[in-house]
Amino acid sequence: MSRKYLVTGGAGYVGSVVAQHLIEAGHEVTVLDNLSTGFREGVPAGAKFIEGDIRDAAKWLDSSYDAVLHFAAFSQVGESVVKPEKYWDNNVGGTMALLAAMREADVRKLVFSSTAATYGEPVSSPITETDPTAPTSPYGASKLAVDHMITGEAAAHGLGAVSLRYFNVAGAYGEQGERHDPESHLIPLVLQVAQGKREAISIFGDDYPTPDGTCVRDYIHVADLAQAHLLAVDAATPGEHLICNLGNGNGFSVREVIETVRQVTGHPIPEVTAPRRGGDPAILVASAATARERLGWNPTRADLAGIVADAWAFAQR
Ligand code: UFG
C-alpha cells in the first residue's frame, strides 16, 4: 500500500538512498533539506523537494503524512569536538522542533538515524543495544540525547519510533554515493588515491590492540541500510521506541580496507602511517540480532569487495 513520507535530510548520502528506495517501493516522498551539507541533485527524481530547515517543519507537516524518516543532522565527529554548540543546536534543537511539529500534525511514526557513536568506547564486542552508552564526542552525545527524547515522546505521547544505530555506512546505490566536503571517511579517501587525486592514504595509528594494529570497523552497504529503514517504518508501534544496531557483524581493519581497494581498482595505493586520530575506538563491530529478529532484516551485500566496487563505480562517475 502506498504511503506518504517526509524524509528530512533526503539530499544527503543515506537520506537520498532511503528516499530512492521508498519511491521504488511505490510510496510518495517529500524531501525536506536545507542543503547545508546535502546536494540538490541528491534528491531522487520523483520526490517532492522542500528547501527548508527542520526547525520550520510545522510549516509543511500535516496529518496527510504517515511517517517521518529523520536524517537531517551534522555528522562529523571531529568538527563536533571543536564546535559542540553547532551539534546541540541543529541535531538536538532541530529534532525537538521536528517532534513538536509531528505531535501538532498528529504524525505518529518516526524512523531516526542514530549511530554507533552513541556507545563510545565499547565494553565488549560485538556491541548490543543494551550495552552502556558513553559517547566520546559531542556528535555521539547529540544523537544519544535525541534517542532519549524519542523514548520519552513514545512513552508520554504514543509515538511509534525506531532508532537505527548505523556502524560504517559505505558503497553507493543508483545515482547516490558518499561525498563529503572535505572528505574524512576512509573508503572515499582511499578511492581518491586510486584516482590520482591524492598521493597516499594516511593510516591513523598502527599500534591499536587489533590483529594488524589498525582500527577495525563494521562496513555496511548503504542499500542494505536502506532496506532496514523500509522495514523499520512498518515495524514502528505506537508507544514503543525500538533501538536497533545496523552492521554486518564482521570487522575489517584499515589495512584490510586498503588491500581490498587495491584488489578492486588495481592501483598500488601507497600508504603512510600517521598518528592516531582523537576519539577513534580500536574496534567497532555491531550485533544486529535485534534488527534481524524485530525487523526481519537480512543484509545481502555484506561482502567488502562488493561494497568497495560500488563506491569505486560511483567515484568514477
Ligand atoms: N582512517 C584512516 N585514514 C583516513 C581516514 C580514516 O586511517 O584517512 C581510519 C579511522 O581512523 C578509522 C577508520 O579509518 O579507524 C574509519 O574511519 P571513518 O572516518 O571512515 O569512519 P569512523 O569509524 O570514524 O566513523 C563512522 C561514521 C561516524 C560515526 C562513527 C562511529 O562515519 O559518523 O563511525 O559510529 F560516528
Side-chain angles (χ1 to χ4, degrees):
M1 188 174 125
S2 174
R3 297 190 188 279
K4 184 173 173 183
Y5 296 126
L6 182 73
V7 178
T8 76
Y13 171 42
V14 178
S16 63
V17 173
V18 174
Q20 178 70 41
H21 277 76
L22 290 168
I23 290 167
E24 286 170 11
H27 301 299
E28 194 181 326
V29 172
T30 302
V31 165
L32 172 64
D33 197 303
N34 65 11
L35 300 184
S36 62
T37 58
F39 301 88
R40 176 64 184 89
E41 63 273 23
V43 179
K48 186 179 159 203
F49 178 59
I50 299 169
E51 185 174 344
D53 199 280
I54 47 174
R55 275 188 199 73
D56 301 319
K59 281 190 198 166
W60 306 288
L61 206 56
D62 60 45
S63 60
S64 68
Y65 285 92
D66 293 292
V68 174
L69 294 98
H70 177 34
F71 302 91
F74 293 129
S75 67
Q76 301 282 341
V77 173
E79 182 192 55
S80 79
V81 175
V82 192
K83 295 180 186 166
E85 67 284 4
K86 180 174 170 181
Y87 282 71
W88 292 108
D89 179 44
N90 186 46
N91 296 5
V92 179
T95 304
M96 226 150 93
L98 179 66
L99 288 178
M102 290 178 67
R103 214 181 297 127
E104 188 65 23
D106 200 30
V107 179
R108 301 282 69 196
K109 272 188 176 196
L110 173 71
V111 177
F112 173 60
S113 169
S114 188
T115 168
T118 53
Y119 297 107
E121 192 70 49
V123 293
S124 59
S125 187
I127 298 173
T128 64
E129 295 84 357
T130 51
D131 283 357
T133 43
T136 50
S137 70
Y139 165 66
S142 73
K143 288 280 182 174
L144 181 60
V146 171
D147 275 340
H148 287 312
M149 239 154 64
I150 293 171
T151 301
E153 185 75 21
H157 303 302
L159 182 72
V162 181
S163 286
L164 299 174
R165 291 189 170 158
Y166 313 159
F167 282 64
N168 287 62
V169 189
Y173 182 77
E175 306 284 310
Q176 312 305 336
E178 189 175 10
R179 48 188 162 155
H180 303 95
D181 192 18
E183 189 52 69
S184 64
H185 289 82
L186 180 63
I187 292 176
L189 284 172
V190 186
L191 291 175
Q192 287 182 5
V193 181
Q195 285 182 301
K197 291 181 179 169
R198 61 179 65 227
E199 295 276 300
I201 187 71
S202 296
I203 296 179
F204 296 149
D206 65 356
D207 56 352
Y208 283 95
T210 59
D212 69 13
T214 67
C215 288
V216 170
R217 294 290 181 270
D218 185 341
Y219 294 88
I220 169 174
H221 196 291
V222 68
D224 279 339
L225 190 85
Q227 281 305 339
H229 290 73
L230 271 71
L231 296 165
V233 78
D234 288 339
T237 305
E240 188 194 21
H241 180 203
L242 175 65
I243 298 179
C244 299
N245 290 340
L246 292 182
N248 286 309
N250 297 320
F252 293 94
S253 72
V254 172
R255 284 219 166 91
E256 286 174 320
V257 170
I258 296 170
E259 190 49 43
T260 304
V261 175
R262 288 189 184 113
Q263 283 161 16
V264 168
T265 65
H267 189 284
I269 316 280
E271 56 180 63
V272 292
T273 303
R276 288 185 178 194
R277 190 173 69 175
D280 275 343
I283 302 179
L284 283 177
V285 174
S287 162
T290 307
R292 289 174 184 276
E293 282 161 27
R294 294 291 311 275
L295 306 181
W297 183 60
N298 187 22
T300 59
R301 305 182 201 217
D303 172 49
L304 183 63
I307 293 174
V308 168
D310 286 355
W312 178 229
F314 176 76
Q316 289 175 293
R317 295 168 82 93

